[in-house]
Amino acid sequence: QTGSANTNPSDSADDEYITNVSIGTPAQVLPLDFDTGSSDLWVFSSETPKSSASGHVTYSPSKSSTAKKLSGASWSITYGDHSSSSGDVYTDKVTVGGFSVSSQAVESATKVSTQFVQDTVISGLLGLGFDVGNTVKPRAQKTWFSNAANSLAQPLFTADLKHQQTGSYNFGFIDTTLAKGPIGYTPADGSEGYWGFTATGYSVGGAKLNRNSITGIADTGTTLLLLDDDVVNAYYNNVESAQYDDSQQGVVFDCSEDLPSFSFGVGGTTITIPGSLINLTPVSDGSSTCFGGLQSSADIGINIFGDVALKAALVVFDLGNERLGWAQK
Ligand SMILES: C[C@H](Cc1ccc(C(C)(C)C)cc1)[C@H](NN)c1nnnn1Cc1ccc2c(c1)OCO2
C-alpha cells in the first residue's frame, strides 16, 4: 500500500508548504504544514477560541462518528521560533494522499500563539519526526507516518518540495523519476525526535567540495537553510551587496545580484542549490532589497536544512533503515 499527496507553497516566498489532510467521518479536510522537524499532529478545532480560529478551517470532533476523546490526555508544544500551541486529544481516522490510519491521535488546540492565529492558510501541523518527540502526556502518541509505516509497501516517505510549484509527499514508495541524479544515503539520527544527519562538506559557486562536515536536520517545517556563521560568511563573501540587516534579522542583498550556487556532499553524492533558490524574496513588496534563503544558525544551536535546501532535492526519509536519501533534481 502507498499514499501520495500534493503539497503547495503557501505564498510567493515558499514560506511553508500546505498539504490537505482528511480527518474523521464524514471527512473534514484541513490544510496542514507537514513538519519532519516535529512529532505532533495538531489542528485548529471547535475547541480553539473563536477569536483565534477566525479565518481558519477547523476540525470538529463532535461532527465525526469515528472521533473518540483520549481521556486525560493533553499536549503542549513550543517551537524554535517561539510559536506555541496546546490542548487536548482525540483519536480519529486520518487520511493522507489516499492512505488511512484508522486511529490516529489528533491533537485539538485550545490555545494557539499569535503566529498561528495570523497564518490563516494552515490549520495546524502534521509532524513527521520520530515518536520520541511527541508532546502528549501522560502517554506520548505516534505520528501518522509511524502508525502507517507497518502497512505501507516500504517504511519510508519522500519529500519533493518545489519553488512556486506543486510538489509531493509520497508514502511507501520512491518515485525515482522525480530525481535527476542518484540517491545518496546517509545514516539518520532520530534520537532527538528529528531527522539528523551529517553532510560531508560544502562549496560555493560550483567549486570542489571541502571536507568541513556539517551536522544538522532535514526539516520540511523550516523555511530557510540555517548554517554556521563560517559557512554563511563563506557564501555571502561572494555576494557584492550582501549585508546584515538588523531590522530584517538576516543577510540581505540587491535583488539584481546573480547569486552563486551552494553545494553540500551527502551519502556520496552532491546536492547543488542554485543561486536562484537562495534569493528568497524582497524584504517588502516592490523593494529591490532581497532576503537571503541561507542564514545563520548561531542563535538556534542546530543547523537546519529547511525548505531552501530541500527544494533542490528529492529526499527519502527511510524509517526502516534509519537513513536519509538525497538526490539532485
Ligand atoms: C519553526 C518550525 C515550526 C513552525 C512551523 C510553522 C509555523 C507558522 C505556521 C506559525 C509559520 C510556526 C512554527 C520548525 N519545524 N520543525 C521548528 N520547530 N521547532 N524548531 N524548529 C526549527 C527552528 C528553530 C528555530 C528557528 C527556526 C526554526 O526559524 C527561526 O528560528
Side-chain angles (χ1 to χ4, degrees), residues 12-13 15 255 278-284 289-292:
S12 60
D15 273 318
C255 297
I278 297 176
N279 181 341
L280 203 57
T281 183
V283 294
S284 44
T289 300
C290 278
F291 190 78

Side-chain angles (χ1 to χ4, degrees), residues 16 33 35-38 78-81 83 115-116 119 122 125 217 219 221-222 226 300 302 304:
E16 68 244 331
D33 184 357
D35 182 10
T36 57
S38 65
T78 299
Y79 296 100
D81 65 347
S83 60
Q115 297 98 321
F116 288 111
D119 198 340
I122 67 150
L125 268 59
I217 68 171
D219 187 358
T222 291
L226 300 165
I300 300 175
I302 181 172
I304 302 181

Side-chain angles (χ1 to χ4, degrees), residues 17 19-20 41 87 90 92 94 112-113 124 178-179 184 190 223-224 254 281 327:
Y17 286 80
T19 311
N20 283 334
L41 193 179
Y90 293 80
D92 208 340
V94 176
V112 289
S113 66
L178 298 175
T223 310
L224 304 176
D254 293 350
T281 183

